Amino acid sequence: MYEAKAIATDDKAALYAELVQQAEGLMHGESNPVANAANFAALVYDVVPDLNWAGFYLFDGTELVVGPFQGKPACIRIAIGRGVCGTAAATRETQVVRDVNAFAGHIACDAASNAEIVVPLVKADGSLYGVWDVDSPSVGRFDDEDRKGMEALCAVFMKTLV
Ligand code: SME
């Protein structure tokens, strides 16, 4: 049974190091991508403070389609190059957005979102798997520590894909 473990959330490096271990434990021995993506989203949403959405957009060969997530129902399809998610997919670079209202082309799914971080998910063969998207109601919520931490977490998820 999963039980939330108390983690000091004021130390981001420690928070993400602990989360990486918890994610590894949660997905250990399981290769079903839907099961792993669902638990991954639930873990991050449960443990990381001050979030209002955390989930996957998966590449269907043409565009991004919403996958397992926690939070309010979201936009279903996002074209590559559009919004923060489509930009991360097109550039293959993590997007750390301090204030989504200042990001040209931001796609508003939940009016509560004010900051966002999106990590591109690229498979070992170089093809696009999708993106990992996390929203917060607090402007400036995500910084370079979150970028490093979320990228490390996503690497744990990507290792489960066979
Ligand atoms: N804001 C995103 C859309 C997805 S939601 O945040 C869940 C974007 O601009 O791509």
Side-chain angles (χ1 to χ4, degrees):
M1 185 178 71
Y2 166 76
E3 273 183 66
K5 211 168 142 195
I7 306 178
T9 52
D10 51 347
D11 180 347
K12 286 189 182 184
L15 169 74
Y16 284 109
E18 176 64 33
L19 263 176
V20 161
Q21 285 199 0
Q22 291 198 15
E24 276 168 349
L26 206 52
M27 297 186 284
H28 180 74
E30 181 53 67
S31 60
N32 183 290
V34 176
N36 284 335
N39 263 343
F40 184 94
L43 175 69
V44 172
Y45 196 73
D46 187 43
V47 174
V48 178
D50 200 19
L51 305 182
N52 63 298
W53 203 89
F56 291 83
Y57 276 90
L58 305 173
F59 185 53
D60 73 353
T62 306
E63 57 191 350
L64 298 170
V65 183
V66 75
F69 69 92
Q70 297 276 307
K72 289 190 178 163
C75 321
I76 299 171
R77 292 175 180 273
I78 298 175
I80 302 300
R82 290 219 38 230
V84 186
C85 291
T87 300
T91 61
R92 296 190 175 202
E93 278 179 13
T94 298
Q95 304 294 304
V96 180
V97 181
R98 204 189 130 65
D99 181 353
V100 294
N101 302 299
F103 186 98
H106 166 255
I107 302 163
C109 293
D110 181 346
S113 299
N114 281 311
E116 185 161 3
I117 182 166
V118 181
V119 180
L121 304 174
V122 179
K123 290 197 267 190
D125 65 4
S127 61
L128 182 69
Y129 184 73
V131 300
W132 166 245
D133 177 18
V134 182
D135 291 12
S136 168
S138 303
V139 170
R141 167 66 183 80
F142 304 113
D143 58 17
D144 206 50
E145 289 265 45
D146 295 286
R147 180 188 61 75
K148 281 188 235 159
M150 290 292 181
E151 287 177 350
L153 272 172
C154 288
V156 174
F157 173 77
M158 293 306 287
K159 270 195 304 191
T160 68
L161 300 178
V162 285

